[in-house]
Structure formats: structure tokens, C-alpha cells
Amino acid sequence: MENAIFSTAYLGPVHYYARLMQYGHVQIEQYDSYQKQSYRNRCAIFGANGLLNLSIPIVKMHGQKTLVRDIEIDYATRWQNNHWRSITSAYNSSPFFEFYAPDFEPFFSKKWQFLIDFNMELHGLIIEILELDTVCKLSQTYEHLFNGDDYRELITPKTKRLLNPDNNFKPYPYTQTYSDKHGFIDNLSIVDLLFNTGPESESVLKKSIL
């Protein structure tokens, strides 16, 4: 398939990359209105105590319709240090953490002003690691009716996703560090898949689309 559009995502979930890899060209939306409690600034990982959500704090928005491209990251707290410490604690015993960790660690010390820039550089790294041929570019304007496949509102952690499910996505199970204790937790951040399965990640993504 050739053309699709996605929202921006911080260490997006398995669903995000399973769909994205099906396309030759993808747009990442930057002209939509920012929404709280979305994958734009949050991800979910698998810690020793189970599911753990990580959220990037943002500078307080003025008004209700701030564009995603204008959202600034708030560095008043040491969120980068906290996120990397949580990721390290969750995955330092996983099979491929030591292999990929040096690529991810710099993202938790360098500072970006805008969330979209941080996400896009991190996204570029993930595309490189997965060795995907998908070309990703930022949108140039907002298209309410996109001429292609639209995942902007379909891939979301909000419960409203249940009203508009992606029936062809079924997370393919893989061995997770703490799955013997908590069972398999599906659709976590792509880093959960990478750190646990390494080069097999692409295969798992493919098997997650029916």
C-alpha cells in the first residue's frame, strides 16, 4: 500500500508500527489539535510490577486548540532521567537491551524544544532499527478527509478506540521479560518488542496484521 497518515507518537505502540510498515509513504500529522492522554506524548512499557505508563510533560497550552507542531516540551522536572531509568529497570535483563540501549540513551539527555521534533528523530531511529523502507514525512496542511488510509484517530490508548476497532490488528504474542509473572501484555511501546525480540521484531509486526 502506498499512502497513509498517522499522528505523531512517543515510542509508539506495536499497533502503530505494524500498520505503518505496510506503506511505502506515510505522513505524520503535525497540524491537528493536540489531545491529552494520547500516544503523542506517552507510551506504555512492561516493568517488574506490570504495566507502566511514561508521559512527557508539556508546556501549558494557551487555549483549547494548540497545534501539535507548536507543543513544547517542559523540562521543569527531570522526566528524561526518570524515563530512561524506568526503561533501563524494565529491560536491562531483556535479550537485546544492551544491543539497542546505546542508540536510545542519547534521546534522554539531549533537549528538544518541540515535541514533534523529538518524536520524529526518535521515530527515525526506530524505522532504521526495524530496517523499514517506509518514507515518513510531516504533513504540510490539515486534511479533514485524507486521501488514503487514516490512522490518526484509530490508533489511540483511549477507550473510544473500542467503538472503532482495527479488526485486522491482533497483537502476536512474544516472550516478555516479566510475562512469566504477569502474563503477556499486548500492544506496548515498540521498545518492548525491540528489547525482547531484536531482529525478530519485524516478523512479529507482520504477524500482528491479519
Side-chain angles (χ1 to χ4, degrees), residues 15 19 154 160-169:
H15 188 188
R19 277 304 188 186
L154 184 60
K160 71 176 183 179
R161 171 191 164 196
L162 299 176
L163 303 177
N164 186 26
D166 183 349
N167 291 319
N168 291 321
F169 171 71

Side-chain angles (χ1 to χ4, degrees), residues 11-27:
L11 296 175
V14 167
H15 188 188
Y16 188 96
Y17 286 97
R19 277 304 188 186
L20 183 141
M21 70 182 296
Q22 296 183 288
Y23 297 87
H25 295 84
V26 160
Q27 290 189 49

Side-chain angles (χ1 to χ4, degrees), residues 89-103:
S89 176
Y91 298 110
N92 62 359
S93 60
S94 62
F96 296 94
F97 180 75
E98 290 187 4
F99 185 77
Y100 294 123
D103 294 324

Side-chain angles (χ1 to χ4, degrees), residues 43-96:
C43 68
I45 63 173
F46 197 164
N49 295 318
L51 184 69
L52 177 62
N53 289 304
L54 303 178
S55 246
I56 299 175
I58 62 169
V59 174
K60 187 176 181 179
M61 297 179 290
H62 300 287
Q64 297 299 313
K65 294 185 178 181
T66 305
L67 297 180
V68 166
R69 71 189 299 268
D70 297 323
I71 295 295
E72 297 183 49
I73 299 174
D74 188 350
Y75 292 98
T77 61
R78 299 183 64 192
W79 70 267
Q80 287 175 296
N81 180 70
N82 292 336
H83 283 205
W84 184 244
R85 185 173 58 192
S86 295
I87 291 171
T88 300
S89 176
Y91 298 110
N92 62 359
S93 60
S94 62
F96 296 94

Side-chain angles (χ1 to χ4, degrees), residues 96-167:
F96 296 94
F97 180 75
E98 290 187 4
F99 185 77
Y100 294 123
D103 294 324
F104 284 98
E105 188 172 12
F107 286 88
F108 298 90
S109 56
K110 179 181 174 182
K111 290 181 169 57
W112 283 259
Q113 180 179 0
F114 294 100
L115 178 67
I116 190 73
D117 295 331
F118 173 73
N119 281 353
M120 285 301 289
E121 288 203 40
L122 196 48
H123 173 70
L125 171 64
I126 293 166
I127 291 290
E128 181 181 344
I129 291 174
L130 290 171
E131 299 183 347
L132 303 185
D133 295 325
T134 308
V135 176
C136 300
K137 294 183 178 180
L138 288 170
S139 63
Q140 296 303 304
T141 185
Y142 184 78
E143 297 180 48
H144 181 69
L145 296 175
F146 180 73
N147 185 25
D149 295 329
D150 190 342
Y151 294 96
R152 289 175 293 187
E153 298 300 325
L154 184 60
I155 300 178
T156 171
K158 294 183 179 180
T159 53
K160 71 176 183 179
R161 171 191 164 196
L162 299 176
L163 303 177
N164 186 26
D166 183 349
N167 291 319

